[in-house]
Each structure stands twice: as C-alpha cells, then as structure tokens.
C-alpha cells in the first residue's frame, strides 16, 4: 500500500539490536512508516524457505518461537495513539496465532479500531504449523466480530470456521465457482461481514498457477479475470492481494473494479523476486485493464 | 554476424573515457571490429531494464540524451573509407531517432553505401519514447530510398508509414497471416524494396511468446516455422533476427531457407541471457532443420 | 540413496591433490561414504555444461581424457573388501566407456558382486562422445551377464544392443507405449535380466519435458504416472531415477510402487539446481502418492 | 545523522521515473526523510567508480550533466516551508558547482536558513572535474557569508579561496600541524566563521591512510587523535565527518569531544563497504573513547 | 582435526528438520563424523556476525536461546557408547554456558571420558553475553577437575577464575611475557592441569593482529613464534588453535613443536574465509618450520 | 601491451570447441589480436589457484598435460607469416617446458624472429612443477642464443643456469643489491644479452610485498624505485613487468625511465583483480613519476 501512495504503518515488535534494526530498515526502504514498531524482547522471528518449482512444493521451516512479537505484552502498544488519524486497520490470522498475549493485543487493536470508526480487515491466513483448528476457531471467532472485510481462501474458511464448499479438492486443484460463492455466503451469514473476498488458486504446479478471486458484498458476487501465472516468487502473493483490495476500496473503486485491481496487483507480485510487491498503481491498472501480453514498454 | 564468421564492423561514437572503452571492449570480446568507432563527446548513452516475467512486461528507461552518438557530427565519420571493401550496410530506426545530426549521418552512410554498390538493410524499429510518428515518417521516408531489405514488425509499419493490416490487435496477440502479407505488399509497392521481412511475435506473456516471420521478395511470400519460446532474455531478440537474415542472404541461402535461418537464430537468442546471440551457424541450422527438442548434446 | 538413508559408497579414483580432495568433500557433504575412493593419477576429469533452455539444447564438452579414473589400474580396487557386507552394486555405461582398463575393473567388480550374492544393476547410459556403438556393444555384452536390473532409455537399447522399437522418433518426441514394452521384452529375452526399467522422456523443449517410466519383471509391465516437468536442472535426472529405483526395491516396495517412487524421485531432481537430488523419502512419496500441485507446505 | 537518531531531511531533485524512485528508496532505508525531494527533470546523475587499492588510486567518471538536480529551478524548492522547524542546514561545494541555477538555489537556501535562525554549515569539497577555481571562488565567496561552520581540507581552502599553508605537499602526504592551524586561522579571519574544521588525510596508499582533524573556534585549536586506517571503502568518508561533527555539536558536545566524535565516525565509515555510514552513536563513542583494538564484541 | 587426518566426532543436538540436517551436512563435508549428533528440539541456534575491519570490531548477535542443544537433556547422550574407542575428549566453555542441563551433560561427558582413560581438554572461552563471571566460576570449577589440558587467553583466566597477571591491558594490546607465565603457573597450581596453553592476541586493529601462544607443562614454559597476521576471517581462529594443539600432542610432538604447530595452524585459519580451517598438516608444518613468506607454490 | 596501445598478437593453440573459443574471446576483449591462434588438439590447459593471504601462500595446481598447446606440432605455426611486419617477439620459459615439440616450436620462432630482425625477449619463468633444472638448462641454453632481452628473478637464474648471487635467501626475503647486480652481470657475460632485467620481490607475506627491479645494459645498472604493495591479486604480476618493459623500450624510453615504467606497470597489476593488467600508459606514468599516494582522482 505504501507503494500505491497510501500512508502505511507497520506495527510489530522487534528486538532492540542490529537484527531488529535491519528489519526496520528493510521496511523503510519501501516507504512504510515504522514509527510505531516497539523495541525489545529476545529475538527476531525468522523462517527458512525452500523455493519450489514444478512438482516440488515450496517448503517453510518456521523459527519464530520466543520472537519479540510472540512475547509482546499488551502495554507495548498504545492503540488509541497508534490509530489516531487512520482510516483502515488490517491484520492477518498469523498474528494472533503467535501467542495468547498477541491474540489479546490483536483483539484490543481491532476493538479500538472499530470503536474509532476505522474499517477493519482480516486475512484468515490459517497456518497449520502455528496452531490447531480448534484454537484458531476460538480466537478468530472473537476477533472477526470487529471485522468489516474478511479475506480467505477456501482452505482458511474450512480450517478456521469449519465452513466447507461442496465438490472442491484443493490438492487436485479442481475448484468450482458455485462452491466458492457458497463459502462467501456462509461467512457473511455467520459473521455479518460487509465484504468477503475469496482468492482462488489453481495450483497446477509450483511453477504455474491459475489465480483469480471473488468479492461478495452480501448481495452480489464479483468474479475477477483469471490469470495463468508463470511464477517467479510466490512469497507475499496473498498479502499483496489484501494490500491491493484495501487500496482499491479506500480509493473508492467499485466492487468489480476493486477485485480486478486486487487480483492484478497480486498477479504481478507472483512475477517479482523478493517479498515486496514493487508495482505502481498504473502498472496494476494496465494489467487489470486487460494487457497481460507482457510486451516490452519502450 | 561476427559469431557466424563474417567480418563485422560496429560504427558508433563513444566518449574518450573508461566507460566508452568498456563498451568497446565488450564488443571486441565477440569479435566485432571496433576500428571505426569514433571517440569523443560527453557520455555513453545507457538504459535501465526491468526484466519482465509472466504478466509483468519488461520496462525500459532510456537515459541517452546528450550521449556521444546523439551529439555526433557528420565529420566524425568518413563513410567512403569506412565502407571500402564492405558488401553490406545495416542500420536500424533507433539511430536516426537520436538527433537531426545523426539522422543526417545515417542518410550519408546509406547513400554512400548504395552508391558504392553495397546492399543496404534497415530495421524500422519504431520507439515511441524516442520520437513521434510524424518525425519518424519524415526521416525514415528519406532513408528508405536507399534500402534494399526492409525489416519491420506490424507495429513499425503502422507507426512509421501508416501502413495497416486489417484485423490485427497487437496487445491481444491475434495475428492474421493475410494481414501480414498485406503489409509486406504495401511496403514493396510504396518504396520499391527488393525484400521485406516481417517478424510476428505472439506475446502470450512476458515468459512465453510465439515467434515466426515472413519474407516477401515482391513475388512470393515465404513463411517460417513458428517457435513457442520459453523466454530467458528478450533483449537483442529483434537484432538477432536481422543479423541472421543478413548472414543467410550474404551466404547465398534461398529465401525460404534464409527466413528459417533468421527466425531460428533469433529464437535461440531468446534463450540466452545477455545482449549477444552467442550461437554458431551449425546450432542455428540444427534448429532451422527441425530439432527443437532441446535434447542434451553429449 | 544416501539421502534416502541407505549406507552408500561411491567408488572411483581421484588425484591425490586438493582438486581430488574437493570432489571427495563434495560427496561427503551428502553423506556418501568415500572410504574406498582410490587416490592417484594425474587429474580429475571435468566437463563443461552449457545449460539449455527452450529450443536451445544443453551442450556438454567432456575433458576427461587422462583422468585418474580413466587411467586407473585393476589393482587400485580390492573388490572383495569393498563389497563385503553390501547388498547392491550399481554401475553405469559411462564407466566402462572410459578405457579398456576401466572396463576390465568394472567387469571384475560386477563379477565379484554377483559371486558374493549382491544384486547388480546397470544403467546403459550410452554416450556417443565417449565410444562407438560397436565398442559399447562388445564391452556391455560381457558386463550385463552379471546384471539383475537393467536401466535404459530407448536410445541406449538401440545404440548399445541394436534393439529397436517400432514407430518411435526420439527427436520428434513421439513415443509409443507398445514400442517401449517391446524393447523391455527383447532385453529380458536376450540377456535374462530379472528387471528392465525404461525411462521415457518426451522432450518438448529444453524447458519442458514429459517424464515417465516402465518396469518389466519378465511377466508384467508396470507403467508409471507421467509428469509434465518445468525443468530447473536436468543434470543428474537419469541417475536419480536409478537411485530411486534401487532404494525402492531394496526397501521392499512392490513393482508398481517402486517404479512410481523412482519416477517421482527423478521428477523432483529435475526441479533442483545442482547435481544432487536433495529430497527425502517422504517428499518422494508425497509426490508418488499423487500430490504434484506444488502447494506451499506451511 | 539519521543513523545517530536525528531527524534528517535530504533535499534534492530526482526524475519522476523508477530510477529516481530507486534513489529515494535507497535513502529511506536509512531513515532519511525524503519528503522534500522534488520530482522532475530528465535523468538521475550518476558516477562510475573504480575502487583503488595500494598504489592504484580510485578513479571517478562523472556523468551528471543534465541531471534533474543540475537543471533544477529555484521554484522547485520552497525553503521557508522546507526549513520550518529545523535547527541546522548543511550543504557541500559540490551542489553549487552543478549549475548557476543550483548555485542560486543554494544561496536562497543558505540565506533563508540563516534568516530563520538555523545554524548553517558547508563542506567546501572542491572538485576540479566540476568547475574551475575562479568560478568556485566567485560562487562560494557569496555562499559562505551565511555559514557558521566551514569544513575543508587543505586542498579545498587553497583551490576555492587561495588560502595556503606553508610547507605542505599533498601528494607527498607531508602535513604540518602549524600549516593547518594557519589555514584555519585565515579562514576565520577572512569570513568570520564561528567554527572551522579541517580534515587531515595522510594518503600513504589507496589502502592505508592516516586520518585526523582539527577544529578551530576562533580562539582555541582542538586536534583529534589520528587513526591509521586500513581502508575498506573511502566513498562517503568526508561526508561522514561532516555528519558526525554536526551531530556532535547539535547534541551539545564540547569542541574537543566533538572533533573526536567526528573523526571517529568517519574513521569507521572508511571500514564499511557502501556509501552509508551504518554506525550507531555508541559505536562511535567507543572508538572516540579510545578502543580501536578491533576486538570482537561477544 | 578431521582435516589433519584424525577420526573426529562432533557431538551436539540439532533439530530433526532440514535446518538441522543442513548443519550436519556442512560438518560432513569436512570429514567430521556426525554419527552421534542427537536429533530433536525446537531450533538450531544461530548467530549473526558483522565482520570487522581496521578500527571497527566484529560484532556478534547471539540467537541461541531455546536451541536444540541449549534444551538438550542428559538422556540424549550415551557417553560410554560415544566415547568407546576414543583417545581424546575436548569441550569449550561455551557449551556449559548454554543451560544448567547442558552444564550437567558436559560434566557427565568429562567425567566419563576421564574415567575411561581419555585425555580431556577444555578451552575456557568465556563469553560475557552467555553467562556471568560468578556462574562461569561455579560451573567451570567443577568441570576442570577432569581436565588435563586447559586452553585460555588472559581474559578467560581472569573472568572465569579471577586469575590476573600484572601489567596487562587487553584493549591496549600491551602484553607482558612475564604476566602470561604467571597466569599459566597459577592455573596449574590451583587445578593441577598437566598442560596449560595460553593464546596471546595483540589486537592492533580488526585487520592486523599479533598472534602467538605459550605452553606450560608445570615445569617449563614453551613460547611460540609470533605472527603478524593480516586477517581475512577471525571466526574459528581460537578453535583452530585447540584443534592444532590436540593434533600435535596426539601425534607425539614435543612441547615446543606442539605449540608451534598449534599457533601456525590457527595463524593460517585467520587467512581463510569461512568457519573451517581447511589446511593440511604439511601446510601447517611448512609455516611452523619458518616459511611465512607467502610465496606462490608452483 | 594491447592496453598500452601496441598491436599485440598472442600465438598459441586452443581446441576447436567452445572452451577454446571462450579463451580466444577473453583475449579479444582486451584488444589482443588472436588471428594466429591455431585450433585443434584435445583440451585447453587449466590451472586451479588458491589465492593466498598473509602467511598462507597462493597455491597452484596445474592441469595442463595433453593440452592443445602442449601437444602442438611445428606445422601448426608458420613463423615467417606470423612475424611478418612485427618488431618484437617475446616468449617465457613456461612455453618450452610444456613438451619437446613445443620447445622445438619456440626455438623455430625465436630463430626466425632473430633472422627477420625482430628484437627477441624471454622471461625465464622457471616452474619446478613443469620440468627439472637439468632439462630447463638444456632447453633454455639453446633458446637464449636468439634473445636480446632476458628477464629473470634470482631464483630463475639459479634454477635454469646455476647462476647464484652471494648472500641471498629467497624464503627469508633478504635481498642484496650487490647480489642482484652480480647475477645480471653473469647473465650478460655468459650469453651476451643486450639487456638483462631482474625483478626483486621481497615477500613479507602473501599480502604485502616489496617490489622493484634492476636493468643492466652491459655497462650501467639502472635500479628502480621500490613499491610496498598491498596485494589484491598477484596473478599476472610478473607478465605485466615484461609487458611494461617491452612497451617502454619499444617506445624509446631511456633505461632508467624504462625500468621505472615496467615496475610501476606491474605494481599496478598487483592491485587489480583478475589476470589482465587493465591500466593505461598515463596511469603507469603517473605512478612511475612519483605519485603513489592513492588519492582519489575526481
Ligand atoms: Ca493467504
Ligand atoms: Ca515497476
Ligand atoms: Ca524490432
Ligand atoms: Ca553455443
Ligand atoms: Ca541415462
Ligand atoms: Ca527438501
Ligand atoms: Ca571533502
Ligand atoms: Ca554497526
Ligand atoms: Ca577462545
Ligand atoms: Ca590448502
Ligand atoms: Ca616470473
Ligand atoms: Ca584504469
Ligand atoms: Ni529484502
Ligand atoms: Ni510456464
Ligand atoms: Ni523483504
Ligand atoms: Ni556484457
Ligand atoms: Ni519457466
Ligand atoms: Ni553486452
Ligand atoms: Ni557442488
Ligand atoms: Ni514452461
Ligand atoms: Ni556436485
Ligand atoms: Ni546502496
Ligand atoms: Ni594495512
Ligand atoms: Ni547508497
Ligand atoms: Ni559453511
Ligand atoms: Ni588488507
Ligand atoms: Ni561453516
Ligand atoms: Ni577473465
Ligand atoms: Ni596489509
Ligand atoms: Ni583472464
């Protein structure tokens, strides 16, 4: 979102040492405001990624136990001060999965944001290596009370809330439109979200994916174009969808336009090495507007 | 062409400093004769390339204003001396686009070459970031009087000379054979070229292109095979087509064989990182002769 | 096989200098036992690889004349000692192609192994840059007397033993199931192998291959699934098939399961840069069991 | 200074393209505020550096003609707005050397800063490849009217203002303390500076330099310790001296302490690859306080 | 020691995941036997190193809390089995500093080793970021009961046992021979060691160190040559001294020869990038024998 | 010499494959004329270099047996044609050491050159890994009959011709001026050289060398300045001395000026990574003229 020109703050906790500072510097490079990042704790969480290709899946080894954020305390964050003047608050399901204290911190943040009139969004982002489905259900059920826009993929909805669409098999990559609409409808019905966005990944291999999404506003379904992506780097592909959707809605785009923007933004992220989506609004709009030919611009 | 065993000279102007020398060294590595490169001026033109992938197009930022070649003067080049003993003179539309003086230099070169009995070829190579269609039309119209072989893609013909084929939409990648033949015919009719070669790129994405070409000698149309290329580096893809075609015609190949050689040579360039087409004649002929299976040679 | 947890020994000869030691270190990194590698001779054989892509084939330049192994003498290896306690002995057709002495060494090894009750396997691996078909026929015919499991591709069988399947054209990539079964049947008939495994590569380009295999036990044909691989590095692709098959048979898998394991193992190798197949049994089994979706594991 | 914890703004002009943005991102990484950088113009100035070693000097080829900043116009910068709330304004002699318009912009900035009560500092930084001594004298004489702290090396003072110390020969590296004091005294006398800081580089080779400095406040001379530096990267060595001195004076250090801090900060910069001085206040103070032993901290 | 041709085992605990396996592979490359490394626990301990130069010290950030080894349990290691057939057991003070359980494990190991007749050595290796001097004193005092050879630098002896030599100031790099002899004598007196080895680092800067050592056998002092080292990588410099000394004593070298070998081995390590001392016995002996001229061997 | 602007030809033999071509391309990059390089044979000779530092010497492992040049035949080179129009012929002692045939080729070349009136120079370059002192003596004694300028270091003279200077010990780095003069005098006396140049390397460590040289014209001794070099890459250090000296003599410099130029040229080579001395005449003259301060040129 910083790339798209919005004032963006990243709120977390990093250790007060050169490793924490390096993470802060990395964010600053992209224009993200790091002014509310707390300093302290023992270590920076890391993960190891083996980048997949073709039939070989990417593989992640987490090493974030005892990280500064996992051991953060509620008093590390003064939410009314942090959220003053903001229009939107976003979190993902990875954060509350880190510890009970962090789940509590996330709850305070979401509640405060909602109370201060911000729009609140959440990407369910279920990670089986971080918590069980039972724990996720219990924690996320409380959190989503304050959420306006819920982002999920089919697996997230099933694992976190037990919401299933008929006739879909993730590892087979067979996805039915009707099934996805049904998941979106159930989510709105159960939690009263204003919007539900569902991303649809057809994983033909680690190198080639189909990528599209669905937005549901409680009344209409808005289905995006589908991109057949030749993947360069999947890391951050999901996050860039959330960023694109928030930007699109904040800047007043209509639902169909918004979901096209979000899918195009994250399609482009899949083609960029590294963990940041270094694309500008005009580049996303060129793709969303229909030019996926990849012709050289010169 | 140096790679194919021809004596090749590159004629340009570079600054008399280590940066200019480095460009000369780079050419020498490939056996290109740099003996007629003028030295002087302020700077070496550069460009920045963001290499595309999948739906993300490659992007070029030019920084060649005030380059040594853009500010070259006619007296920097003694064409009768440079062209003595040569059989062929080739230029592209990028050169005269640099400045009026360079357009004038190119005109002198082409005129001298023609007068000395060389074959003259030109790749229209329209670049919208360098000049307008009006200016291109005016300059190129004078230049092509001396041209025997004109190389273009459909966009070039339209942008430079306003010559359009029916029912083709470049960004959609929908190309009709009939349309291309029509463009070639119009070019021969209007300018009296001995040969027109048209390259046909079907840009399915920045990673996957269809690639073929058409040669027209004023009587017959010679259509090449089409390659579905998994692109490694597009830079130099067009230039390597010109190089392949000139080599093929100079070495006496018949039109069908010549266009197959040129397309195979540039197909191979798309699979090689960097800006030089490091392939030998036998490698091109193996592909042109039908083996595109990519089997290991061992 | 070391990766799959088997005690594996690599037996060869390397020069007694830092270059030979570096090769030994490289093997040790992967847990391969290097205790029977002989030291001596003049040089380590090397080869230069130009990695292909799309229509450009990979190209190998061998520089192994006068290598330590090519000039090894029978007395460099004490086979009864080396093979004591082992269950399996494997060699490929590249080794006896190096010199008459090495062919003799290989013969002694195979004969000793057979006599000591080991299972013996051989990958025909015909290399036209190393020997003629006549020489290969003569040498391999003696060697395969001691072989239980013969691994080949269609070209190997034809070049080494003149065994041809009807209606197949390698460079065209058109492979018929019936043809392959016929080759396997002829190999068993002529040499009495217990198993014949034939790998089937459909080389659509240097970047995209179909990959499958066939196992024949003299009675039944076991055909594996076929993988459409987006290739990262082909080097070691064939060897990893042999390694996978030996592991599968040694660990008691049934024929269908064994050929699926071997093909999945070598499919994964094609997606890994470098010359070692760094995959674990569970990764191979996940793919052999049907998940080729390349979804991130997290 | 951003590294030392001060709010720091870098004011310049970069082109409104990805190259300009990349420069901005690079500054942001280090916490420098880029909010007043103007966008526009044709190109980003660049230079090419051949990094020296031992007897081979580093060599710089400038390519900054026609850069966005060299062609900036006074109306690109609203100095009262930019300087509001600031305490210090710093510029170097490289900036006014770029063009008459930029000299004018620098003058407006210095004048405005002085008028608004800021402390103004200037590093003379004479560059013979950018302007003549005559032009430098004329432009800098006007600029230094507004300067409180003047930073120079002996060569700067001589080339810009014709102020010479007796018995010093730069390429011989023979520097006399008395000579430097004399230069500082003359500068204060002629221009009324509050402080003059002179850096003393003894260039024994491109790999090994002596490095120290002298601060003069019109009354006393404060001479720093001298460091024998084994150089990693000289780029930014002078700038980091200025940054260290400004930080030291802004944070209330006494003259001796301030010059020690500045010299230690720039000593450390010489040991860090790249163009930013990534050291923290405590690291500088540890060195300034006397520990140059380079012992591992663990 | 593996490099010097001894059978060497590294005993530790790593997590049963790809990161732990990667550490094991790294050790195997150098011929270290990894057969007794326990698998389990949460994570692999890591540290971040900023490599110093000139006046900038190297800086280490430890991230080893909750590592597999720090949380190891006594039952992870069966010492009688591990030590069967061994001649020597070595540990460093870093290991017992990790946790009380690991201190206990180290004690069992040392006691078992001593009881089985092995020679036991210990490098005190005090690390202030891992434990306090009080804790170190208490733990190490019990451990050294079983130690035959104690390795230390002056700081270690003071921090762990409060043993001080007169007139030495570490950060000043002023070291007196008499002082070191005194420290060695006190160590033997207090703990009854058979040998004490003291390393003497004169840290002139992070790039240039004097390096020598002293061996004391309770009767005589053996002082090595001193090397003025131009440092490439200090990591592992101390460990390689220990490795060299153990090899030298195990292979029957006399005290003077042994200390020369150990110092030469670690001198060479300082000139090799990375954390392993990839030198052979003949290379160490060539240096220990007096050739430090660095002349090319060809 | 190509760098210094002379027309330079490199004459050797490389295999007619991509590896041989790559070596040719590498030479062409630097403007060396490769038109007389013979093609054929089995392989390109290679060597492996471990780059030394401080007390660790560089180490070379040769792998040039059976290289194209080592197995070259006299008929591969037509010396009258190759030498037509040339002014100077240079060879080193490494070439005749490769094989008897190559020694014969070198003899023909030197004899032909001498007969055609060229100046002939030879760098003795004794390599103990290539031949014995007896063989070297026998071969070189015949070759030097045709030599005008002989280049050597003290070790070369002793190993090849048994010519010794008193009181010098190479590994100790203790060099006496008188000794060197004596060696030069003996060489002139015995072989009648017009010039003898002796290089004097004081190898204090692999990182720091003293470097100077002596030229003797049979009457006077010309001693150069001595450089204390902080070495970046020694490879090519000796060859660049020869190149510098030949350039200096060819361009008419007087003896003192010539030896200063040669030593300065090779001093600079020691500061440049890679195997080519990429310096221009003005850079060498600046150093030879006395500026070794390494100050940035900007
Ligand atoms: Ca997600
Ligand atoms: Ca972009
Ligand atoms: Ca083109
Ligand atoms: Ca090739
Ligand atoms: Ca094979
Ligand atoms: Ca794996
Ligand atoms: Ca300066
Ligand atoms: Ca730091
Ligand atoms: Ca230590
Ligand atoms: Ca070594
Ligand atoms: Ca030499
Ligand atoms: Ca240079
Ligand atoms: Ni990053
Ligand atoms: Ni693809
Ligand atoms: Ni990142
Ligand atoms: Ni290049
Ligand atoms: Ni691909
Ligand atoms: Ni290039
Ligand atoms: Ni490797
Ligand atoms: Ni593909
Ligand atoms: Ni390998
Ligand atoms: Ni940078
Ligand atoms: Ni130094
Ligand atoms: Ni930078
Ligand atoms: Ni490592
Ligand atoms: Ni150094
Ligand atoms: Ni390591
Ligand atoms: Ni090179
Ligand atoms: Ni040094
Ligand atoms: Ni080279």
């Amino acid at each position: 979102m910083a790339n798209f020109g919005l004032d963006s703050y990243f709120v977390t906790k990093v250790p007060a040492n050169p490793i924490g500072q390096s993470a802060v510097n990395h964010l600053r490079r992209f224009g993200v405001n790091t002014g509310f990042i707390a300093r302290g704790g023992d270590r920076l969480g890391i993960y190891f990624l083996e980048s997949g290709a073709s039939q070989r899946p990417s593989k992640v080894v987490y090493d974030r136990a005892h990280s500064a954020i996992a051991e953060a305390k509620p008093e590390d964050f003064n939410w009314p001060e942090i959220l003053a003047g903001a229009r939107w608050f976003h979190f993902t399901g990875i954060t509350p999965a880190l510890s009970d204290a962090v789940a509590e911190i996330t709850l305070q943040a979401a509640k405060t944001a909602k109370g201060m009139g911000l729009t609140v969004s959440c990407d369910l982002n279920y990670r089986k290596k971080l918590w069980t489905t039972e724990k996720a259900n219990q924690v996320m059920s409380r959190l989503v009370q304050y959420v306006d826009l819920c982002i999920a993929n089919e697996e997230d909805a099933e694992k976190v809330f037990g919401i299933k669409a008929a006739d879909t098999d993730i590892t087979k990559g067979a996805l039915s439109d009707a099934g996805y609409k049904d998941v979106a409808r159930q989510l709105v019905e159960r939690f009263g979200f204003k919007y539900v966005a569902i991303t649809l990944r057809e994983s033909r291999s680690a190198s080639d994916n189909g990528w599209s999404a669905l937005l549901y506003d409680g009344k209409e379904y808005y289905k995006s174009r589908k991109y057949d992506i030749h993947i360069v780097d999947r890391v951050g592909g999901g996050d860039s969808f959330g960023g694109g959707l928030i930007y699109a809605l904040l800047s007043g785009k209509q639902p169909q336009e918004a979901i096209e923007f979000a899918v195009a933004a994250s399609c482009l992220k899949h083609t960029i090495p590294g963990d940041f989506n270094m694309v500008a609004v005009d580049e996303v709009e060129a793709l969303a507007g229909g030019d996926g030919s990849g012709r050289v611009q010169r």
Side-chain angles (χ1 to χ4, degrees), chain A residues 87-88 114 117-122 144-151 184-185 187-197 214-222 245 249-250 252-253 255:
Chain A
R87 290 195 286 158
W88 194 291
K114 192 71 188 168
L118 282 76
T119 304
V120 177
S121 59
C122 168
V144 293
Q145 305 176 60
Y146 307 102
V147 166
D148 300 292
L149 161 63
C150 176
I151 299 170
R185 193 191 45 74
L187 283 166
V188 167
E189 250 172 42
R190 181 147 14 135
F191 300 104
F193 298 125
K194 194 166 158 203
Y195 287 109
V196 166
L214 178 78
L215 183 66
Y216 179 56
D217 63 3
K219 282 165 279 176
E220 301 286 331
Y221 296 100
Y222 304 91
L245 188 54
L249 294 173
L250 267 174
K253 289 186 192 289

Side-chain angles (χ1 to χ4, degrees), chain A residues 58-110:
Chain A
S58 287
K59 201 174 239 188
V60 173
V61 176
Y62 288 117
D63 179 11
R64 32 190 175 187
H66 308 280
S67 69
I69 181 63
E71 301 188 342
K73 298 276 163 300
E75 55 271 28
D76 287 324
F77 304 98
N78 181 338
W79 290 109
E81 188 183 296
I82 293 171
L83 297 168
R87 290 195 286 158
W88 194 291
F89 174 74
H90 177 74
F91 67 96
T92 93
I94 292 174
T95 306
L98 297 176
S99 72
D100 284 350
V102 179
E104 181 57 31
I105 290 167
T106 313
L107 190 69
Q108 288 178 11

